[in-house]
Amino acid sequence: MKQIIVLKINILFVLLTSSPSLAIGQSVNQISTSPKQNYIAYVKDQKSLWISSLLNRNKEKMVYSNLNDFNERFFIWSKEDAKFIFESNHTVYIYDLENQKLDSIPLNPNLNLFKFYLIDQVALANNKLYFSANENNKLNKIYCLDFASGEVQLIIQDSEDIGNLAISEDGKYLAYQHYSSTYDRGSISGIKIVNLTKDEIIYSYQLDTKSFLTNLSFLANEKLLFRNVYGNNYILSLNSMNIDEYKLDTYGYFLKFHEKEVVTLKYEKGNKKYSLFNPKVNSYQSLLITKNGILKHVESIENNTFYTYYIDESGNEPKRLMKENSKTKKSEIVYDFIAQNPLKDSKYKIISYLNKDQNYSESYLYLPANYENITSELPLIILAYGGYRDRFPDFSYFMNEIFFRYLNKGFAIALVNTRGYASERRGDEYGKAQLEDTELFINTITAEFNIDKENIIVAGHSHGATMVFYYLTHSSIFKGGIAINGAADWIEQSKLKSMTGLPGEMGGEANEFMEKYERYSPLTNISEGMSPILIISGENDRQIPFEINSQRFFEKTQTMKLHHEYIHFKDEGHLIKTQENINQLTSNIERFLLKLTSL
């Protein structure tokens, strides 16, 4: 039985509890439809890969049952719906859809297959897979895996890290983005295009402003599309090597080419508007207006009419694949993911309120199924992460698995917007802006719902845990907090440039604004009146290292003789992944919450 270390005041405890898995609902994610919309692939519970025919639901098949450290950026279909390629544990798997056969090609275990949400690091053409990787901390190489021979060859080495890849349909041109940092406000980024038949770089473009480039997409051998994270969109002509820049009239950006037009996404009045943009005449044709839908495919029908395939969901309704006619606007369910819905009886409310910038923010409140019959005030758990949308919670994420069970224990649960998306960020006042927004949310819901103001607990992971540290050291409205792998020493963490908020949301680096960092950093603002906090960290977390954050914060509270607790997992990283550790964490969180709320 595994041991975890729990530190409380100056006493060392070893817990040997072994509670069963408390997962309360199935998770479906990494949904991908094939180019001709004959198949759909998806991952269940972060463990197994399934592929199903969209023409015959009875042909659903589990292709792989033990995904281990799989890379969601290595999900790619071949043309003509012939093959599906994925990677798990440094092995590339090729699934033949017609013969239902799975082949595998092992990769060098020393290859670093970096994973970052803005990077699509694979491209496929002519039975060859191109991917960015390296054998050290610098991701500056592109390799080619030939499916026919099984050989992996290094084909490109750059002086900077390599991210997004795209390849022309005939496999002649390979475009890639090079960058200096994933810190999106400070990345020096550019585009290079390689003629693979001649093994030479034919184009190099360096962006003037500091920003990460993404969404590379070829139109035959004629044009290359790409954009940055701030809504600047570019189309490069491969014939003239001229580049045109486009800025959409409302916040939005280019997604990809569809034939000779461009699929665009705009955000308007709380909705997502997908359109086809014609660069020649600067005109738009509406495809789909949706609150939550994620576009997967555009299919031309006739007479400028299209089918749009998209994934739809809401905060209490699980995902499903939909299809809508662009002219009639009639939609139908193409595929629903049969899964237990643990939230079907709970009460779900979308809370809209003015944030500190006098713009409307949305956060999401879940109440117990019998809320109308409860006469006492409910304790509230706030999950502070940011970037929340009206979407069904992913119960393969350990935070949701652990905390949503408290709906059945008499708690209310809130997913509070703490500015997790680039469009919501302010570039300054990190922590302060989020706390003020959260206080406005609390004022809004306590005026309308039966929430106990004296029993509000804030919990978070990563950026969310960073907010927990800030909230508890800069406010007294919370009964307590739970911080999992968060940043507590903002001065030292900002030097790593490994998370967006630090230094990106502080107006500059610590050496420029030291006095400000000292006022904001949780480590330098611990007080004797601080509410109790349960701190959790993973030994292998290099994004937000425990030594300069969780451990340092806890050690300082001990010198002040404060009653806080610390759990450190020696076999975990930034995420808590193993079910045994999740069970241990669940038991300790329950003990902490029950003691805190006296329930």
Side-chain angles (χ1 to χ4, degrees):
M1 189 172 294
K2 189 179 296 184
Q3 294 185 350
I4 61 173
I5 296 175
V6 180
L7 298 174
K8 181 180 179 183
I9 314 177
N10 291 317
I11 307 173
L12 180 67
F13 292 90
V14 178
L15 271 72
L16 298 174
T17 59
S18 57
S19 59
S21 172
L22 297 174
I24 59 174
Q26 191 180 72
S27 160
V28 174
N29 51 33
Q30 306 305 328
I31 300 168
S32 177
T33 56
S34 64
K36 293 186 175 296
Q37 303 304 291
N38 291 321
Y39 299 95
I40 187 168
Y42 50 92
V43 173
K44 286 185 180 180
D45 298 329
Q46 295 285 357
K47 297 175 183 177
S48 56
L49 172 67
W50 293 71
I51 293 181
S52 178
S53 168
L54 291 177
L55 307 176
N56 184 351
R57 177 61 188 265
N58 293 326
K59 291 188 176 180
E60 180 185 47
K61 181 178 180 179
M62 184 172 66
V63 173
Y64 195 73
S65 62
N66 189 27
L67 288 174
N68 179 26
D69 194 29
F70 77 97
N71 189 345
E72 61 270 20
R73 301 300 166 189
F74 264 73
F75 272 39
I76 190 168
W77 299 88
S78 67
K79 289 195 307 180
E80 307 301 328
D81 289 8
K83 296 176 181 176
F84 182 74
I85 296 95
F86 64 99
E87 182 270 338
S88 176
N89 200 27
H90 277 80
T91 300
V92 173
Y93 294 89
I94 306 101
Y95 182 68
D96 186 313
L97 289 150
E98 182 178 355
N99 299 315
Q100 298 188 21
K101 180 183 177 183
L102 184 66
D103 292 323
S104 63
I105 300 175
L107 299 177
N108 182 340
N110 294 322
L111 284 180
N112 171 25
L113 303 176
F114 182 63
K115 304 168 188 178
F116 185 64
Y117 76 102
L118 287 175
I119 290 180
D120 293 318
Q121 66 185 110
V122 293
L124 178 67
N126 298 335
N127 218 30
K128 294 180 179 179
L129 181 72
Y130 299 85
F131 61 95
S132 56
N134 205 352
E135 298 180 34
N136 52 41
N137 292 328
K138 197 167 181 61
L139 196 80
N140 64 338
K141 297 177 182 177
I142 296 178
Y143 294 84
C144 175
L145 169 57
D146 189 324
F147 291 153
S149 66
E151 294 182 355
V152 178
Q153 290 186 332
L154 172 65
I155 62 168
I156 294 171
Q157 181 168 341
D158 202 284
S159 59
E160 292 188 310
D161 284 352
I162 293 174
N164 291 284
L165 306 184
I167 196 163
S168 59
E169 192 170 319
D170 63 359
K172 181 178 180 180
Y173 297 115
L174 177 70
Y176 68 89
Q177 170 231 7
H178 57 90
Y179 63 96
S180 61
S181 169
T182 54
Y183 160 44
D184 55 17
R185 291 184 187 273
S187 179
I188 299 172
S189 196
I191 296 289
K192 290 181 181 178
I193 301 177
V194 180
N195 185 327
L196 293 174
T197 61
K198 297 182 179 180
D199 193 25
E200 64 179 9
I201 294 175
I202 63 169
Y203 182 80
S204 180
Y205 172 77
Q206 187 76 43
L207 195 68
D208 292 334
T209 58
K210 293 182 177 181
S211 179
F212 203 81
L213 295 174
T214 185
N215 282 71
L216 278 64
S217 173
F218 272 104
L219 172 62
N221 286 341
E222 301 174 13
K223 296 180 180 180
L224 176 71
L225 173 153
F226 57 96
R227 68 173 178 87
N228 66 18
V229 295
Y230 302 116
N232 300 94
N233 307 280
Y234 308 90
I235 295 179
L236 168 71
S237 170
L238 298 185
N239 294 324
S240 65
M241 293 302 177
N242 291 329
I243 188 167
D244 295 318
E245 181 176 351
Y246 300 85
K247 188 83 173 179
L248 305 188
D249 49 4
T250 59
Y251 180 76
Y253 40 80
F254 287 2
L255 294 178
K256 60 183 178 180
F257 279 117
H258 174 72
E259 298 174 355
K260 294 196 173 184
E261 295 182 301
V262 178
V263 181
T264 67
L265 168 61
K266 296 182 182 180
Y267 292 91
E268 295 181 353
K269 298 179 180 178
N271 289 318
K272 299 162 72 175
K273 183 177 181 180
Y274 292 97
S275 303
L276 278 180
F277 173 65
N278 187 326
K280 284 189 175 181
V281 296
N282 198 35
S283 65
Y284 291 89
Q285 179 175 347
S286 177
L287 291 174
L288 173 71
I289 298 176
T290 174
K291 181 174 176 58
N292 302 311
I294 299 175
L295 187 70
K296 289 295 179 181
H297 180 70
V298 178
E299 177 185 344
S300 300
I301 307 174
E302 58 183 1
N303 300 325
N304 287 324
T305 305
F306 306 89
Y307 277 135
T308 54
Y309 292 80
Y310 63 102
I311 301 297
D312 200 20
E313 62 183 314
S314 69
N316 59 350
E317 290 291 339
K319 297 181 179 76
R320 53 191 181 177
L321 178 65
M322 306 291 294
K323 179 173 75 172
E324 181 170 300
N325 185 297
S326 64
K327 277 195 174 179
T328 66
K329 301 302 179 185
K330 290 184 178 180
S331 61
E332 60 183 277
I333 299 174
V334 178
Y335 194 91
D336 58 346
F337 303 92
I338 298 175
Q340 177 187 357
N341 180 1
L343 302 178
K344 63 183 177 66
D345 296 324
S346 64
K347 309 301 179 186
Y348 173 65
K349 306 291 182 181
I350 300 175
I351 309 298
S352 182
Y353 54 99
L354 281 172
N355 60 31
K356 72 160 291 179
D357 296 327
Q358 296 302 297
N359 297 318
Y360 276 97
S361 287
E362 274 191 1
S363 293
Y364 309 96
L365 179 66
Y366 294 84
L367 301 166
N370 61 341
Y371 170 71
E372 287 84 358
N373 300 323
I374 298 175
T375 56
S376 59
E377 292 182 327
L378 298 178
L380 172 68
I381 298 174
I382 289 177
L383 298 182
Y385 185 75
Y388 288 121
R389 292 289 186 261
D390 177 23
R391 294 176 182 166
F392 195 75
D394 180 356
F395 288 110
S396 67
Y397 178 43
F398 72 96
M399 292 289 288
N400 292 335
E401 177 185 341
I402 290 172
F403 286 101
F404 267 90
R405 73 190 67 235
Y406 286 95
L407 279 175
N408 299 323
K409 297 176 181 287
F411 284 75
I413 306 293
L415 305 182
V416 177
N417 190 318
T418 54
R419 300 175 185 255
Y421 283 117
S423 60
E424 301 167 335
R425 297 172 190 153
R426 306 181 77 252
D428 202 354
E429 295 189 331
Y430 188 54
K432 182 175 184 290
Q434 283 84 352
L435 176 58
E436 291 179 12
D437 284 354
T438 301
E439 290 172 339
L440 289 168
F441 166 79
I442 291 171
N443 291 338
T444 300
I445 64 166
T446 53
E448 183 178 352
F449 300 97
N450 202 21
I451 302 295
D452 186 355
K453 282 187 175 182
E454 302 301 317
N455 269 317
I456 298 177
I457 299 97
V458 59
H461 163 245
S462 191
H463 160 76
T466 304
M467 293 301 99
V468 173
F469 281 125
Y470 183 91
Y471 288 11
L472 266 63
T473 53
H474 291 79
S475 173
S476 60
I477 67 172
F478 301 98
K479 188 71 173 287
I482 301 168
I484 304 174
N485 285 326
D489 186 340
W490 289 13
I491 296 170
E492 291 302 313
Q493 179 65 44
S494 67
K495 295 176 183 177
L496 301 179
K497 297 183 179 179
S498 59
M499 60 180 293
T500 299
L502 299 169
E505 297 301 300
M506 285 293 287
E509 299 187 20
N511 58 2
E512 302 175 86
F513 301 100
M514 183 58 70
E515 186 274 334
K516 179 180 179 181
Y517 270 80
E518 289 175 346
R519 281 190 290 113
Y520 279 57
S521 178
L523 185 67
T524 53
N525 287 278
I526 300 171
S527 66
E528 292 184 358
M530 176 185 166
S531 297
I533 185 171
L534 173 61
I535 305 167
I536 297 100
S537 62
E539 179 94 10
N540 302 318
D541 185 0
R542 295 298 88 195
Q543 181 181 351
I544 305 179
F546 75 95
E547 304 98 316
I548 62 172
N549 290 296
S550 297
Q551 179 176 284
R552 186 171 293 176
F553 188 93
F554 176 73
E555 288 174 347
K556 186 171 181 179
T557 67
Q558 297 312 283
T559 64
M560 299 172 67
K561 301 188 184 306
L562 302 180
H563 292 242
H564 301 305
E565 301 181 30
Y566 180 34
I567 299 173
H568 182 67
F569 291 99
K570 286 189 168 292
D571 57 347
E572 296 285 5
H574 192 60
L575 295 169
I576 309 301
K577 290 185 175 182
T578 66
Q579 192 60 54
E580 185 176 355
N581 287 341
I582 291 173
N583 293 343
Q584 300 279 14
L585 183 57
T586 299
S587 298
N588 282 281
I589 286 175
E590 181 166 16
R591 173 187 53 78
F592 179 78
L593 287 176
L594 291 178
K595 180 177 67 174
L596 202 61
T597 57
S598 301
L599 293 179

